[in-house]
Amino acid sequence: MIPITVVDVADAEPYVLEVLRSGVIAQGPMVKRFEDAFAEVAGVEHAVGVNSGTTALVASIEVLDLQPGDEVITSPFTFVATLNAILEAGASVRFADIRDDDFAIDPDAVAAALSPRTKVLMPVHLYGQMADMTRLMPLAAEHGLAVVEDSAQAVGATLDGKPAGSYGLGCFSLYATKNITTAEGGVITTNDAALADRLRVLRNQGMRARYQYEMAGHNYRLTDLHAAVGIPQLEKLPRITEARQRNAEALSKGLAGLPGLELPAVLPGRTHVWHQYTVRITEDAPISREEFSAKLTEKGVGNGIYYPKVVFDYDCYRDNPKITAALEDVPVATRVAREVLSLPVHPKLTDSDVDTIVETIREVLGA
Ligand SMILES: *Cc1c(COP(=O)(O)O)cnc(C)c1O
């Protein structure tokens, strides 16, 4: 079986041992070291480590001091954490449809979804390619919106040479299967020193100094043990990204021209870090997306569907007064959710694995 993801953290052993031997195992110097290295990679002044990508999103919304009824506009085609974080932060949420080339929020749809209560724009840089920030940033500025980038899948991605997480408040996930990992963890990036300071206080029970509480905070702290896992990950990020890019290129070359198979595009001005290599099985394909997925699995090619439904289309979100959403307002996301399928693109793939993936798909599609 060629797996869809491989976790490769064995090289963290000396760093983890260093932490274990030091006795400082919760938030300490290793977190600081990780944050400084992350800030450099993300091209920002400040990086604040937290315990997940989800809490990175919650904290980023919370420091914006929204009022009850204030709205966040985000993508309907994302991991559920994006929506859960907005609700956890107490904000209301509205969805703007996506484009079918970058799978990210469509600036025209954002303009149409704006309401007087809209205060935050939260694009999701899906699969490792950034949303169209060139058009989204001026739109946000014109309407006085704060920008929180869900960069969970996009560490190292750029648009016009500027990295994900350097446009607004950047929220990254360090979960086990993300491009770099600390097992569980997250990071918030910003160039705003005052926001970074508030985020540091918020993640630690709202505490500035011992028993000096400034706000009702959380325990969102990252630990030195987790940070230690991430240090070598950050060091090898350029190699991780290059390997993913090389694999994606080889897949696109091998899979070109098959009927019913739409390949992922890298849009002008953007670099793609290929968290996922996601194809679309369209109506022109000889078999359904579900049959295609089952046949690949049967033949030993791991695959995944990210995501099978629009994020709000579950019973647990229906009738939630904080959610304004209708499937008919997001036709592109609805269609794309029926068509997408992600293939292995991780750095541990060999040339022969890539050949196997290509041959298997050509065979399954009868080409
Ligand atoms: C992984 C992910 C998150 C959440 O990150 P966790 O570290 O799992 O909490 C949020 N948004 C997107 C798009 C993700 O892929």
Side-chain angles (χ1 to χ4, degrees):
M1 189 78 189
I2 302 172
I4 180 104
T5 48
V6 170
V7 179
D8 175 26
V9 291
D11 52 0
E13 194 178 317
Y15 301 91
V16 174
L17 277 179
E18 186 185 327
V19 172
L20 288 174
R21 288 179 179 137
S22 78
V24 183
I25 56 175
Q27 186 186 297
M30 201 62 95
V31 168
K32 172 80 170 78
R33 186 166 153 193
F34 180 81
E35 288 175 338
D36 291 347
F38 198 97
E40 187 143 336
V41 164
V44 294
E45 299 281 318
H46 312 279
V48 180
V50 290
N51 56 7
S52 75
T54 308
T55 55
L57 290 166
V58 177
S60 295
I61 300 168
E62 286 192 2
V63 291
L64 297 173
D65 280 335
L66 303 188
Q67 300 303 308
D70 282 352
E71 289 170 357
V72 179
I73 290 187
T74 194
S75 168
F77 191 57
T78 181
F79 182 51
V80 72
T82 313
L83 171 55
N84 286 342
I86 296 168
L87 296 174
E88 173 71 16
S92 295
V93 57
R94 226 174 243 277
F95 295 91
D97 206 2
I98 59 165
R99 293 168 28 168
D100 70 359
D101 51 3
D102 59 13
F103 304 107
I105 206 161
D106 180 342
D108 292 329
V110 171
L114 286 169
S115 89
R117 301 308 304 266
T118 309
K119 294 289 153 55
V120 182
L121 176 58
M122 187 186 283
V124 180
H125 305 317
L126 204 71
Y127 302 147
Q129 178 164 229
M130 289 180 67
D132 187 357
M133 302 308 282
T134 311
R135 288 182 57 211
L136 291 170
M137 291 308 289
L139 193 63
E142 186 187 335
H143 297 277
L145 312 181
V147 175
V148 177
E149 302 171 66
D150 184 338
S151 306
Q153 303 186 0
V155 63
T158 64
L159 182 140
D160 295 337
K162 278 188 66 180
S166 70
Y167 283 78
L169 275 168
C171 297
F172 294 85
S173 167
L174 302 166
Y175 179 65
T177 59
K178 297 288 158 72
N179 285 21
I180 60 169
T181 181
T182 58
E184 293 273 11
V187 187
I188 307 155
T189 53
T190 179
N191 287 316
D192 184 323
L195 280 180
D197 177 69
R198 293 199 68 200
L199 287 164
R200 289 180 197 286
V201 173
L202 184 71
R203 81 170 157 188
N204 188 22
Q205 306 291 8
M207 189 166 78
R208 164 82 51 199
R210 207 170 195 31
Y211 304 133
Q212 190 190 321
Y213 303 111
E214 288 186 357
M215 59 182 91
H218 302 284
N219 175 359
Y220 284 171
R221 294 184 302 266
L222 184 65
T223 76
D224 267 28
L225 271 176
H226 289 94
V229 176
I231 299 270
Q233 297 273 305
L234 267 180
E235 281 167 5
K236 66 186 179 185
L237 180 61
R239 273 172 288 148
I240 292 173
T241 303
E242 278 157 30
R244 287 178 177 273
Q245 288 168 339
R246 206 167 44 242
N247 292 338
E249 207 171 306
L251 287 169
S252 288
K253 204 166 151 211
L255 296 172
L258 293 178
L261 192 75
E262 288 273 347
L263 301 181
V266 182
L267 299 188
R270 308 188 207 187
T271 57
H272 201 315
V273 297
W274 301 103
H275 175 59
Q276 300 293 351
Y277 181 92
T278 303
V279 299
R280 288 194 286 140
I281 317 299
T282 66
E283 299 170 336
D284 302 331
I287 53 175
S288 73
R289 192 257 313 258
E290 277 59 35
E291 289 170 303
F292 183 73
S293 170
K295 285 219 162 121
L296 290 188
T297 306
E298 186 189 302
K299 291 173 187 292
V301 174
N303 60 92
I305 294 171
Y306 313 108
Y307 297 92
K309 291 216 292 181
V310 163
V311 72
F312 57 77
D313 190 18
Y314 292 87
D315 283 343
C316 59
Y317 298 116
R318 279 186 249 291
D319 309 321
N320 184 322
K322 295 209 152 130
I323 301 178
T324 306
L327 282 177
E328 53 276 21
D329 294 338
V330 295
V332 180
T334 305
R335 171 168 53 83
V336 161
R338 284 198 297 264
E339 296 178 340
V340 288
L341 181 123
S342 300
L343 299 169
V345 71
H346 58 77
K348 291 280 151 186
L349 287 183
T350 62
D351 290 349
S352 133
D353 290 335
V354 173
D355 290 344
T356 304
I357 296 167
V358 168
E359 280 157 25
T360 308
I361 290 174
R362 298 192 82 92
E363 189 189 315
V364 166
L365 290 179

